[in-house]
Amino acid sequence: MSDAPDSRRNSAGLTKMIVVAIGAFALTFALVPLYRIACEKVFGIRLERTAAQGVSDAKAAAAKRVVTVQFDGGVNSKLPWEFSPNRVTMQVVPGEQYEATYHARNTSDRTIVGSAVPSVAPARASGFFNKTECFCFTAQTLKAGEVRDMPVRFIVDPNLPEDVKTITLSYTFFKNDALTAQQQGTAKPAASPLSSP
């Protein structure tokens, strides 16, 4: 007989705990709309934009922006090459990858190695112009009379300052005397240390 009241009390206690748990769960879900209503009605703050919407809006704004990239190229007077861009200008959307090519021709009668030095103008845009692949990363060897198109792949950073509308990418090729001498087999052997008698 004494077990029945204990069992009822336990059952009633369990029921109360379940009701409290369900109530807490429902209150948790109700807090978000209540918070939104309180912000809008009491403080006048609208919470319609989410972080994801803000990011997508920024991407959409960047996608609408167009930047002009100009290409330029030349050679040092010691290098008997012709070198110029295949395309002088390109309209690009920041954040997207593009490819441009430069045309090179060795006008001499021997193999020559050249190294390209890039520059970006205006100078403050250089940190926002990212080359992902470039012939300037390694020395280029052209045999006598050889012609080659050399690619450069790049991305203009979407954070490029708004007032920068045009970027100029310029290359100057220089003769790499040490590597050219190795290619032609005229490199001087390294001096050997004198042996003591």
Side-chain angles (χ1 to χ4, degrees):
M1 284 273 205
S2 62
D3 287 343
D6 286 341
S7 155
R8 284 185 191 145
R9 261 187 277 162
N10 288 343
S11 177
L14 181 62
T15 304
K16 286 179 185 177
M17 286 178 42
I18 291 173
V19 169
V20 168
I22 291 172
F25 189 72
L27 181 63
T28 303
F29 277 101
L31 284 178
V32 173
L34 288 175
Y35 176 75
R36 183 178 303 273
I37 291 168
C39 286
E40 288 179 4
K41 300 297 181 190
V42 177
F43 301 109
I45 300 171
R46 296 204 55 157
L47 300 175
E48 290 178 9
R49 290 179 54 124
T50 64
Q53 286 173 326
V55 170
S56 66
D57 289 350
K59 285 184 179 178
K64 291 177 186 174
R65 184 178 180 196
V66 175
V67 176
T68 300
V69 178
Q70 298 175 334
F71 303 98
D72 186 31
V75 295
N76 178 273
S77 60
K78 293 183 179 181
L79 183 66
W81 284 11
E82 292 174 355
F83 176 71
S84 60
N86 285 326
R87 189 172 179 179
V88 178
T89 63
M90 182 183 290
Q91 301 295 313
V92 304
V93 174
E96 295 182 14
Q97 181 169 287
Y98 293 87
E99 179 178 295
T101 56
Y102 280 76
H103 178 79
R105 183 169 81 91
N106 181 351
T107 59
S108 75
D109 59 356
R110 63 191 187 283
T111 299
I112 296 181
V113 180
S115 296
V117 176
S119 66
V120 174
R124 65 195 188 100
S126 62
F128 301 95
F129 191 90
N130 304 308
K131 294 183 288 296
T132 58
E133 183 182 322
C134 182
F135 56 87
C136 64
F137 294 161
T138 58
Q140 300 294 318
T141 303
L142 292 181
K143 296 178 183 174
E146 183 179 355
V147 175
R148 183 182 307 157
D149 281 339
M150 296 185 257
V152 55
R153 290 194 178 104
F154 62 91
I155 299 172
V156 174
D157 191 314
N159 295 317
L160 177 74
E162 285 292 328
D163 61 328
V164 177
K165 311 287 187 203
T166 302
I167 299 173
T168 302
L169 174 64
S170 181
Y171 290 96
T172 303
F173 251 105
F174 293 88
K175 184 177 179 185
N176 190 319
D177 290 321
L179 292 177
T180 298
Q182 285 179 359
Q183 286 289 328
Q184 295 171 357
T186 59
K188 295 179 181 176
S192 59
L194 297 173
S195 56
S196 56

